[in-house]
Amino acid sequence: MTNLAAALAETARQHPDRSAVRLDERRMTYHELHSAAAAVAADLDRRGIRPGDRVGLVVPNLPAFPVLFYGILYSGAVVVPMNPLLKAREVQFHLGDSQASLVYGWAGGGDAAAKAAAAVGIPYVATDEFGLELPEAGRHGAAVLRADEDTAVILYTSGTTGTPKGAELTHRNLSSNARTTRETLLATGPDDVIMGCLPLFHVFGLTCSLNASVLGASCLTLLPRFDAAKALTMVARDRVTVFEGVPTMYAAMLHHADADVADLSSLRTCITGGSAMPVPVLREFEKRFDCAIYEGYGLSETSPVASFNQPGHERKPGTIGFPVRGCEIRVVDEDGADLPVGEPGELAVRGENVMKGYWRRPDATAEAIPDGWFRTGDIATRDHDGYLTIVDRKKDVIIRGGYNVYPREVEEVLYEHPAVAETAVVGIPHDDLGEEVGAAVALKPGASAEPAELSAFVRDRLAAYKYPRQVWLMDSLPKGATGKILRREVSPPGES
């Protein structure tokens, strides 16, 4: 029996006066964070929220996020974190599918969460930057006990078909993965400062930034929205020792006009994931700022860390390293049989980090974990030393600036436009973002619509990072023998 939030209680007991989170010049100590989270738990109890109930969380990288996150866990409830950039219809789906009983949103973040809460008929509670104005909880003891396999967090991740699925991550999944991250990758302690520019609603930031920093009694300095100039300033101002980001963040900082004069001498360790890190960017960043970057790999379903280049071992740029402690990875063929060294196959993962399953989706769970091994949908090779290299994605997910964009979700919105007959959404290579979202569209006979109109139609209905910046019209889309649209044969005009 345990609770992911128990780590906060223990750290607050041992290091009450250490800075837990920072937002520019304002700080919150571990005692203050623990007290605020306990007050949230007491308030949830007064509101009738019981262990196992789902509670939505739509808050950016502000101190309010850890306050509410740990407060929900303290109460024994399940956190359903969401991107604050989502529109009301997207939040509504997450709340309805998870059967949430309440949702927290940031007062300065628009009304999408409030509208969604009203649509599904649950309470909406607004928070300011540092949390709620609540009386002292009067309960600073242990969090509500939960079984290791009880769900702590439901993270929604879309597939290439159908609606988003909620990956159920247990207290054991997240606790063990945060511990592994802290002990084997970051080696952090009370004197460390971790850069909090990865979104905390995403599992990368949640585990490697927030949960790992709490385990090590480190300070998490928060950047609500990534900006290269601000990030460079924060590293120098706060003496950041650990930087965690997606490749586009490293490239933006490296190529910023202030990079030559920025003081990043405090940096010791950097980790990156989310998409492939260009080796030239890695080498130049390391050379200019005298630090080491460790590349790795993970998914929402694996809590997320599964494989990494790790301190104390040879680093192989361009690879995702080898499996982390508590995790096994195989390269398999379509039948689940192991493939020899150098031959590409699908990554299959097993270990204490793999999700319990998809929320209320037993069929999808059985398909994803047919034999105890989670099928990632990513194609990779293994070398003689056991290092893995991603060579392709079996799934068609687009990774735009570190954010996952699922083609089917965008296509579903385009199909709502009255002029659209067929569409295929694809990733287009982009120097800064990695990939940009593009859409090929065939119109209904006699219908008319301009590409800019179709782009705006999606922009009004989905988060800003999802809508297609490039839309082009075609008479018809390429199809296979069964009539299925061949997305791999779709490309913008002038490209092959």
Side-chain angles (χ1 to χ4, degrees):
M1 301 290 286
T2 186
N3 187 316
L4 176 61
L8 173 58
E10 179 61 19
T11 297
R13 185 186 68 80
Q14 294 187 19
H15 305 279
D17 299 324
R18 290 279 186 182
S19 293
V21 290
R22 175 175 179 173
L23 182 66
D24 292 326
E25 299 309 317
R26 297 181 65 187
R27 302 169 187 260
M28 178 178 280
T29 67
Y30 273 102
H31 171 75
E32 292 168 336
L33 176 56
H34 175 236
S35 297
V40 168
D43 186 60
L44 286 171
D45 185 63
R46 287 191 292 268
R47 292 175 179 272
I49 302 300
R50 296 294 175 255
D53 288 351
R54 276 73 58 202
V55 177
L57 182 56
V58 193
V59 175
N61 280 25
L62 299 169
F65 188 101
V67 168
L68 296 168
F69 176 77
Y70 287 115
I72 296 167
L73 293 177
Y74 265 45
S75 74
V78 177
V79 187
V80 185
M82 284 166 264
N83 189 338
L85 297 178
L86 296 180
K87 298 295 178 69
R89 62 181 271 161
E90 297 168 294
V91 177
Q92 181 179 336
F93 173 82
H94 288 67
L95 295 177
D97 187 75
S98 66
Q99 300 173 322
S101 300
L102 179 145
V103 61
Y104 291 111
W106 177 42
D111 58 2
K115 286 181 177 179
V120 298
I122 62 173
Y124 166 78
V125 181
T127 178
D128 66 16
E129 291 182 342
F130 273 73
L132 307 173
E133 291 293 333
L134 294 171
E136 280 293 316
R139 47 170 281 191
H140 296 282
V144 172
L145 288 178
R146 304 295 287 158
D148 288 352
E149 296 308 312
D150 281 341
T151 302
V153 172
I154 296 177
L155 282 171
Y156 276 87
T157 175
S158 296
T160 54
T161 60
T163 55
K165 303 184 292 292
E168 291 189 75
L169 301 180
T170 67
H171 287 270
R172 180 172 181 260
N173 288 154
L174 291 166
S175 295
S176 65
N177 205 240
R179 190 174 303 109
T180 294
T181 298
R182 184 225 158 191
E183 294 175 357
T184 66
L185 299 181
L186 308 181
T188 48
D191 294 328
D192 280 292
V193 178
I194 297 177
M195 185 73 172
C197 55
L198 287 170
L200 299 180
F201 62 80
H202 188 280
V203 70
F204 191 2
L206 186 64
T207 291
C208 300
S209 299
L210 179 56
N211 292 335
S213 70
V214 168
L215 279 173
S218 306
C219 176
L220 183 65
T221 183
L222 295 171
L223 180 57
R225 189 179 182 90
F226 184 77
D227 173 84
K230 183 64 180 290
L232 291 168
T233 298
M234 287 175 61
V235 171
R237 182 196 69 193
D238 302 343
R239 306 305 295 165
V240 171
T241 57
V242 175
F243 189 95
E244 304 171 350
V246 296
T248 51
M249 293 178 179
Y250 288 96
M253 293 168 64
L254 179 63
H255 299 140
H256 194 273
D258 295 339
D260 288 335
V261 296
D263 177 10
L264 273 62
S265 60
S266 60
L267 284 181
R268 182 188 77 245
T269 300
C270 301
I271 65 173
T272 183
S275 60
M277 171 68 112
V279 174
V281 172
L282 180 145
R283 295 195 187 283
E284 188 176 350
F285 193 98
E286 290 185 334
K287 181 179 180 180
R288 180 174 298 185
F289 299 121
D290 190 26
C291 59
I293 299 178
Y294 297 90
E295 300 171 82
Y297 168 82
L299 307 96
S300 296
E301 292 91 340
T302 60
S303 301
V305 180
S307 180
F308 248 90
N309 284 271
Q310 299 171 35
H313 299 268
E314 179 186 3
R315 284 188 301 140
K316 294 189 178 183
T319 76
I320 58 170
F322 55 94
V324 298
R325 185 182 69 196
C327 179
E328 300 173 81
I329 300 181
R330 298 162 56 213
V331 179
V332 301
D333 63 17
E334 293 287 344
D335 298 321
D338 290 304
L339 290 169
V341 167
E343 187 167 337
E346 185 174 5
L347 290 180
V349 181
R350 182 174 71 178
E352 57 192 23
N353 57 328
V354 175
M355 68 172 182
K356 180 163 67 175
Y358 292 115
W359 168 256
R360 299 197 306 155
R361 298 286 296 274
D363 292 345
T365 301
E367 181 180 355
I369 314 176
D371 51 6
W373 291 82
F374 172 67
R375 299 301 198 273
T376 65
D378 289 311
I379 307 301
T381 59
R382 186 193 302 272
D383 69 14
H384 287 284
D385 297 321
Y387 284 67
L388 299 159
T389 301
I390 300 291
V391 296
D392 198 1
R393 288 196 303 274
K394 184 177 179 181
K395 299 175 182 177
D396 294 322
V397 62
I398 300 164
I399 302 179
R400 182 185 187 274
Y403 288 107
N404 288 356
V405 180
Y406 299 93
R408 180 60 181 269
E409 183 180 14
V410 182
E411 290 166 358
E412 291 290 346
V413 175
L414 280 167
Y415 276 118
E416 294 177 13
H417 192 285
V420 173
E422 295 178 339
T423 183
V425 171
V426 297
I428 302 170
H430 190 281
D431 290 341
D432 297 324
L433 297 171
E435 288 182 292
E436 185 55 273
V437 183
V441 175
L443 302 178
K444 295 176 181 176
S448 63
E450 294 299 319
E453 172 191 345
L454 297 172
S455 179
F457 183 82
V458 180
R459 185 182 64 224
D460 291 341
R461 289 161 175 79
L462 293 180
Y465 64 89
K466 296 180 182 179
Y467 79 88
R469 266 62 172 183
Q470 293 189 46
V471 177
W472 59 97
L473 303 179
M474 302 179 67
D475 293 334
S476 62
L477 300 184
K479 301 179 181 67
T482 62
K484 180 180 179 180
I485 294 174
L486 300 177
R487 188 181 281 116
R488 65 179 181 274
E489 295 186 10
V490 173
S491 59
E495 296 186 14
S496 57

